[in-house]
Amino acid sequence: MKYDYLVVGSGLFGAVFAQQAKERGKSVLVIDKRPNIAGNVYTEKIEGINVHKYGAHIFHTNNKRVWDYVTKFAEFNRFTNSPVANFKGELYSMPFNMYTFNKMWGVVTPDEAKAKIDEQRAEIKGEPKNLEEQAISLVGRDIYEKLIKGYTEKQWGRDCKDLPAFIIKRLPVRLTYDNNYFNALYQGIPMGGYTKMVGNMLDGIEVRLGVDYLENKDEFDKLADKVLYTGAIDAYFGYSLGNLEYRSVRFENEVLDTPNFQGNAAVNYTDRETPWTRIIEHKWFEFGKDEEGNDLEKTVISREYSSEWKPGDEPYYPVNDEKNGALYEQYKKLSENEKNVIFGGRLGEYKYYDMDAVIASALDMCEKELG
Ligand code: UDP
C-alpha cells in the first residue's frame, strides 16, 4: 500500500509529526536507521536505571501548548536541573546565581554581587561581538575564566572568540539563591524514560527500524505521497555543497558498584585539562529510585567527550556560526525544490533546538501541513 507520509527518523520531531498525522486519519510509516526509536532522547534501562544513551535530556518549557502535548504521553517527575561545576576540585553552583557569586568572591548580598560583576564587565565596551565578550559582559572575567572558557572550548572545539554569543545566553544569571538551571515554568523527566514516552506517541503506527533511508531513497520514496525527513540536511543532498559542521559526542558508560558516585545528576568539568566535559550519573534524574520506589544499589555514569563531527559519527550539535549559517541557507534553497519532502528538527533545520522547541516547531509544521 502507499502511505500518505513516510517519516524518516523517530526522534521527537518525527514522532510528533507521525502522531499528529495518524490522529488526523493519515496513514504513516516511520523508519529509522538505528535499532531503536526515540532518536537522541533514547533511554535504555541498565541496572534498573534509565540511562540517557545520547546525552542528558531534561525537559523544560514555558510553552503550555507543548507541556499539554507531552503530558498526554508521559507523566513527568519533579526533577529540576542544577548542575555542579567542578573547576580543579573547586565546586560551584550552576547556573550563575548568588551561590556561585558567594563561592567565587565571598559576596553575600545581591548588591555586593552586582557591584563585583559591574566592575568586571566594564572591560567590554559596546555590544558583545562573540561568546567571550558576551560571557564577560554577563558575569565578569573571573567566572568566565573558571566556569565558562574551558567548558565551552571543550564542548565546541573552538575559541570562545569564534563562537556566537547566543550560546551563552541560554544560561540564566540571577541575583537570587536559586540553582535551577532553567527559567522554565514546567520541568521534569518522563517517568519510565523517554523511550516509553516516544513509544506512546508512536502507538499504533508502523515503525521499521535499522533501515537507512538515504541508502535506498528511491525505493522508500515510492512508498508514500510525501516524506518528512529529520536527518541531516547536508547528508540528504549527498554533501554536494560541502558538509555543514557539527559537534559530535562520545560517551564512556560505566556501571559502578556503589550507590552514589557524585551526588548529583550532572557535574560539569570546567577546566581545560580534564578531557571530558561532564559526568552524568543517571539515577539522580529519578531520585536514585527504581519504578517501585526502592533505592538502587548500583549506579551508571557517563563521561561525555566532545569532538568535531566527521563522516560516520553521529551529529549532535549544529555549529550555528556565520559560515555554517550561510551554507545552510544554500541547502535550504535546494530543499525548497523538493516539493514532496518536508525537512524538520535539529538536523533537518540545522538548529540548536531544545526539546520543547522541536516539539513546538513540529506542532506548527503539522498545522501547516495537515490542517
Ligand atoms: N556553559 C558553560 N559552563 C557550564 C555549562 C554551560 O560555560 O558549566 C555554557 C557553554 O558555553 C555551553 C552552553 O553554556 O556551550 C550551553 O551548555 P549546556 O550544557 O546547557 O548545553 P547542552 O549540551 O545541555 O545543550
Side-chain angles (χ1 to χ4, degrees), residues 147-148 151-152 155-156 170-171 181 268 278 317 352:
L147 304 183
I148 298 174
Y151 184 90
T152 304
Q155 189 176 22
W156 295 96
R170 290 163 55 85
L171 272 62
Y181 194 66
N268 297 349
R278 53 189 160 194
Y317 297 90
Y352 187 8

Side-chain angles (χ1 to χ4, degrees), residues 10-12 15 34-45 49-54 57 73-74 189-203 209 286 355:
S10 62
L12 283 178
R34 289 191 186 155
N36 52 265
I37 58 162
N40 281 6
V41 302
Y42 175 63
T43 47
E44 187 181 297
K45 214 166 228 157
I49 299 163
N50 287 309
V51 173
H52 296 209
K53 291 291 275 210
Y54 297 91
H57 284 80
F73 304 99
I189 303 273
M191 281 148 90
Y194 285 93
T195 308
K196 191 169 149 196
M197 179 180 91
V198 175
N200 289 339
M201 293 163 76
L202 294 175
D203 188 34
L209 298 171
E286 299 180 73
M355 287 182 280

